Short mmCIF file of all heavy atoms in Angstrom, two decimals:
data_model
loop_
_atom_site.label_atom_id
_atom_site.label_comp_id
_atom_site.label_asym_id
_atom_site.label_seq_id
_atom_site.Cartn_x
_atom_site.Cartn_y
_atom_site.Cartn_z
N GLU M 581 6.94 35.02 3.17
CA GLU M 581 6.18 34.81 1.94
C GLU M 581 5.57 33.41 1.90
O GLU M 581 4.41 33.23 1.53
CB GLU M 581 7.09 35.03 0.72
CG GLU M 581 7.50 36.48 0.52
CD GLU M 581 8.45 36.64 -0.65
OE1 GLU M 581 8.87 35.60 -1.20
OE2 GLU M 581 8.77 37.79 -0.99
N LEU M 582 6.38 32.42 2.29
CA LEU M 582 5.87 31.05 2.31
C LEU M 582 4.75 30.90 3.33
O LEU M 582 3.73 30.24 3.07
CB LEU M 582 7.00 30.07 2.63
CG LEU M 582 8.07 29.90 1.54
CD1 LEU M 582 9.20 29.03 2.05
CD2 LEU M 582 7.46 29.31 0.27
N GLU M 583 4.95 31.51 4.52
CA GLU M 583 3.90 31.44 5.52
C GLU M 583 2.64 32.14 5.06
O GLU M 583 1.52 31.67 5.29
CB GLU M 583 4.39 32.04 6.84
CG GLU M 583 5.44 31.21 7.55
CD GLU M 583 5.92 31.85 8.83
OE1 GLU M 583 5.62 33.06 9.01
OE2 GLU M 583 6.59 31.18 9.63
N SER M 584 2.83 33.29 4.37
CA SER M 584 1.66 34.01 3.85
C SER M 584 0.92 33.18 2.81
O SER M 584 -0.31 33.07 2.83
CB SER M 584 2.11 35.34 3.24
OG SER M 584 1.01 36.02 2.65
N SER M 585 1.70 32.56 1.90
CA SER M 585 1.07 31.70 0.90
C SER M 585 0.37 30.53 1.55
O SER M 585 -0.74 30.15 1.17
CB SER M 585 2.13 31.19 -0.09
OG SER M 585 2.76 32.26 -0.75
N LEU M 586 1.03 29.95 2.56
CA LEU M 586 0.43 28.82 3.26
C LEU M 586 -0.85 29.24 3.96
O LEU M 586 -1.86 28.53 3.93
CB LEU M 586 1.42 28.23 4.26
CG LEU M 586 0.94 27.03 5.09
CD1 LEU M 586 0.57 25.88 4.17
CD2 LEU M 586 2.00 26.60 6.09
N ASN M 587 -0.81 30.42 4.60
CA ASN M 587 -2.00 30.90 5.29
C ASN M 587 -3.14 31.16 4.31
O ASN M 587 -4.31 30.88 4.59
CB ASN M 587 -1.68 32.18 6.07
CG ASN M 587 -0.78 31.91 7.26
OD1 ASN M 587 -0.80 30.81 7.82
ND2 ASN M 587 0.00 32.89 7.66
N LYS M 588 -2.78 31.72 3.13
CA LYS M 588 -3.81 31.96 2.12
C LYS M 588 -4.43 30.64 1.66
O LYS M 588 -5.65 30.53 1.50
CB LYS M 588 -3.21 32.70 0.93
CG LYS M 588 -2.85 34.15 1.22
CD LYS M 588 -2.26 34.83 -0.01
CE LYS M 588 -1.88 36.28 0.28
NZ LYS M 588 -1.28 36.94 -0.91
N GLU M 589 -3.55 29.63 1.43
CA GLU M 589 -4.05 28.34 1.01
C GLU M 589 -4.93 27.72 2.09
O GLU M 589 -5.97 27.14 1.81
CB GLU M 589 -2.88 27.40 0.67
CG GLU M 589 -2.09 27.80 -0.56
CD GLU M 589 -2.93 27.72 -1.82
OE1 GLU M 589 -3.88 26.91 -1.86
OE2 GLU M 589 -2.64 28.48 -2.76
N LYS M 590 -4.49 27.86 3.37
CA LYS M 590 -5.29 27.33 4.46
C LYS M 590 -6.63 28.04 4.55
O LYS M 590 -7.67 27.42 4.77
CB LYS M 590 -4.53 27.46 5.78
CG LYS M 590 -3.36 26.50 5.94
CD LYS M 590 -2.71 26.66 7.30
CE LYS M 590 -1.58 25.63 7.48
NZ LYS M 590 -0.90 25.78 8.80
N LEU M 591 -6.59 29.39 4.38
CA LEU M 591 -7.83 30.16 4.44
C LEU M 591 -8.77 29.76 3.31
O LEU M 591 -9.98 29.57 3.53
CB LEU M 591 -7.51 31.66 4.37
CG LEU M 591 -8.72 32.61 4.41
CD1 LEU M 591 -9.49 32.42 5.71
CD2 LEU M 591 -8.26 34.06 4.26
N GLN M 592 -8.19 29.62 2.11
CA GLN M 592 -9.02 29.21 0.98
C GLN M 592 -9.58 27.81 1.20
O GLN M 592 -10.75 27.55 0.90
CB GLN M 592 -8.20 29.25 -0.31
CG GLN M 592 -9.00 28.95 -1.57
CD GLN M 592 -8.16 29.07 -2.81
OE1 GLN M 592 -6.96 29.32 -2.73
NE2 GLN M 592 -8.77 28.89 -3.97
N SER M 593 -8.74 26.92 1.73
CA SER M 593 -9.21 25.56 2.01
C SER M 593 -10.32 25.59 3.06
O SER M 593 -11.31 24.88 2.94
CB SER M 593 -8.05 24.69 2.51
OG SER M 593 -8.49 23.42 2.86
N LEU M 594 -10.14 26.45 4.10
CA LEU M 594 -11.16 26.57 5.13
C LEU M 594 -12.46 27.11 4.54
O LEU M 594 -13.55 26.62 4.86
CB LEU M 594 -10.66 27.48 6.25
CG LEU M 594 -11.62 27.70 7.43
CD1 LEU M 594 -11.94 26.36 8.09
CD2 LEU M 594 -11.03 28.67 8.43
N GLN M 595 -12.34 28.13 3.67
CA GLN M 595 -13.53 28.68 3.04
C GLN M 595 -14.24 27.64 2.19
O GLN M 595 -15.48 27.52 2.21
CB GLN M 595 -13.15 29.90 2.19
CG GLN M 595 -12.70 31.11 3.01
CD GLN M 595 -12.23 32.25 2.13
OE1 GLN M 595 -12.06 32.09 0.92
NE2 GLN M 595 -12.02 33.40 2.73
N LEU M 596 -13.45 26.87 1.43
CA LEU M 596 -14.05 25.83 0.61
C LEU M 596 -14.73 24.77 1.47
O LEU M 596 -15.81 24.28 1.13
CB LEU M 596 -12.98 25.19 -0.27
CG LEU M 596 -12.41 26.08 -1.39
CD1 LEU M 596 -11.28 25.37 -2.11
CD2 LEU M 596 -13.49 26.45 -2.38
N LYS M 597 -14.08 24.44 2.60
CA LYS M 597 -14.70 23.46 3.49
C LYS M 597 -16.00 24.00 4.08
O LYS M 597 -16.98 23.28 4.21
CB LYS M 597 -13.72 23.08 4.60
CG LYS M 597 -12.57 22.20 4.15
CD LYS M 597 -11.67 21.82 5.30
CE LYS M 597 -10.54 20.90 4.83
NZ LYS M 597 -9.65 20.52 5.94
N GLN M 598 -15.98 25.32 4.43
CA GLN M 598 -17.19 25.92 4.95
C GLN M 598 -18.29 25.93 3.90
O GLN M 598 -19.46 25.63 4.19
CB GLN M 598 -16.91 27.34 5.45
CG GLN M 598 -16.05 27.39 6.71
CD GLN M 598 -15.71 28.80 7.12
OE1 GLN M 598 -15.93 29.75 6.36
NE2 GLN M 598 -15.18 28.96 8.32
N GLU M 599 -17.91 26.30 2.67
CA GLU M 599 -18.90 26.30 1.60
C GLU M 599 -19.44 24.89 1.35
O GLU M 599 -20.64 24.70 1.12
CB GLU M 599 -18.27 26.86 0.32
CG GLU M 599 -17.94 28.33 0.39
CD GLU M 599 -17.24 28.83 -0.86
OE1 GLU M 599 -17.04 28.00 -1.78
OE2 GLU M 599 -16.89 30.02 -0.93
N LEU M 600 -18.53 23.91 1.42
CA LEU M 600 -18.97 22.53 1.25
C LEU M 600 -19.92 22.11 2.36
O LEU M 600 -20.93 21.46 2.12
CB LEU M 600 -17.75 21.59 1.21
CG LEU M 600 -18.05 20.10 1.05
CD1 LEU M 600 -18.78 19.85 -0.26
CD2 LEU M 600 -16.75 19.29 1.11
N ALA M 601 -19.57 22.53 3.61
CA ALA M 601 -20.45 22.19 4.73
C ALA M 601 -21.81 22.87 4.58
O ALA M 601 -22.85 22.27 4.83
CB ALA M 601 -19.78 22.60 6.05
N GLU M 602 -21.77 24.15 4.14
CA GLU M 602 -23.04 24.85 3.92
C GLU M 602 -23.85 24.19 2.81
O GLU M 602 -25.08 24.04 2.93
CB GLU M 602 -22.77 26.32 3.58
CG GLU M 602 -22.19 27.12 4.75
CD GLU M 602 -21.81 28.53 4.33
OE1 GLU M 602 -21.97 28.83 3.12
OE2 GLU M 602 -21.38 29.32 5.20
N ALA M 603 -23.16 23.82 1.75
CA ALA M 603 -23.86 23.15 0.65
C ALA M 603 -24.45 21.82 1.11
O ALA M 603 -25.58 21.47 0.75
CB ALA M 603 -22.90 22.94 -0.52
N LYS M 604 -23.68 21.08 1.93
CA LYS M 604 -24.20 19.82 2.45
C LYS M 604 -25.40 20.06 3.36
O LYS M 604 -26.40 19.32 3.31
CB LYS M 604 -23.11 19.07 3.20
CG LYS M 604 -22.03 18.47 2.30
CD LYS M 604 -21.02 17.69 3.13
CE LYS M 604 -19.99 17.04 2.21
NZ LYS M 604 -18.97 16.29 2.99
N ALA M 605 -25.32 21.12 4.22
CA ALA M 605 -26.44 21.43 5.10
C ALA M 605 -27.67 21.83 4.29
O ALA M 605 -28.80 21.40 4.56
CB ALA M 605 -26.05 22.54 6.07
N GLN M 606 -27.43 22.68 3.26
CA GLN M 606 -28.53 23.09 2.41
C GLN M 606 -29.13 21.90 1.67
O GLN M 606 -30.35 21.77 1.54
CB GLN M 606 -28.05 24.15 1.42
CG GLN M 606 -29.16 24.73 0.54
CD GLN M 606 -28.63 25.80 -0.39
OE1 GLN M 606 -27.43 26.05 -0.42
NE2 GLN M 606 -29.51 26.43 -1.13
N ASN M 607 -28.25 21.04 1.22
CA ASN M 607 -28.72 19.83 0.54
C ASN M 607 -29.55 18.96 1.48
O ASN M 607 -30.57 18.38 1.11
CB ASN M 607 -27.52 19.06 0.00
CG ASN M 607 -27.93 17.85 -0.82
OD1 ASN M 607 -28.92 17.90 -1.52
ND2 ASN M 607 -27.17 16.79 -0.73
N SER M 608 -29.08 18.89 2.75
CA SER M 608 -29.83 18.11 3.73
C SER M 608 -31.20 18.73 3.99
O SER M 608 -32.22 18.02 4.07
CB SER M 608 -29.03 18.02 5.04
OG SER M 608 -29.76 17.32 6.01
N ASP M 609 -31.25 20.08 4.10
CA ASP M 609 -32.53 20.75 4.32
C ASP M 609 -33.47 20.53 3.14
O ASP M 609 -34.67 20.26 3.31
CB ASP M 609 -32.31 22.25 4.55
CG ASP M 609 -31.56 22.51 5.85
OD1 ASP M 609 -31.57 21.63 6.72
OD2 ASP M 609 -30.96 23.59 5.97
N LEU M 610 -32.91 20.67 1.94
CA LEU M 610 -33.73 20.45 0.75
C LEU M 610 -34.23 19.02 0.68
O LEU M 610 -35.37 18.77 0.27
CB LEU M 610 -32.92 20.80 -0.51
CG LEU M 610 -32.58 22.28 -0.71
CD1 LEU M 610 -31.66 22.46 -1.91
CD2 LEU M 610 -33.84 23.11 -0.89
N HIS M 611 -33.38 18.11 1.10
CA HIS M 611 -33.79 16.70 1.09
C HIS M 611 -34.93 16.47 2.08
O HIS M 611 -35.91 15.78 1.77
CB HIS M 611 -32.59 15.82 1.45
CG HIS M 611 -32.91 14.35 1.43
ND1 HIS M 611 -33.13 13.65 0.27
CD2 HIS M 611 -33.04 13.46 2.46
CE1 HIS M 611 -33.38 12.40 0.56
NE2 HIS M 611 -33.33 12.25 1.88
#
Side-chain angles (χ1 to χ4, degrees):
E581 290 177 353
L582 291 173
E583 289 179 347
S584 176
S585 300
L586 180 60
N587 290 333
K588 289 180 181 179
E589 292 295 333
K590 287 183 177 179
L591 180 60
Q592 185 177 3
S593 176
L594 181 60
Q595 291 175 350
L596 291 175
K597 287 182 179 180
Q598 290 177 348
E599 292 177 0
L600 179 61
E602 292 174 357
K604 287 182 178 179
Q606 184 178 4
N607 185 36
S608 178
D609 294 340
L610 292 175
H611 182 71

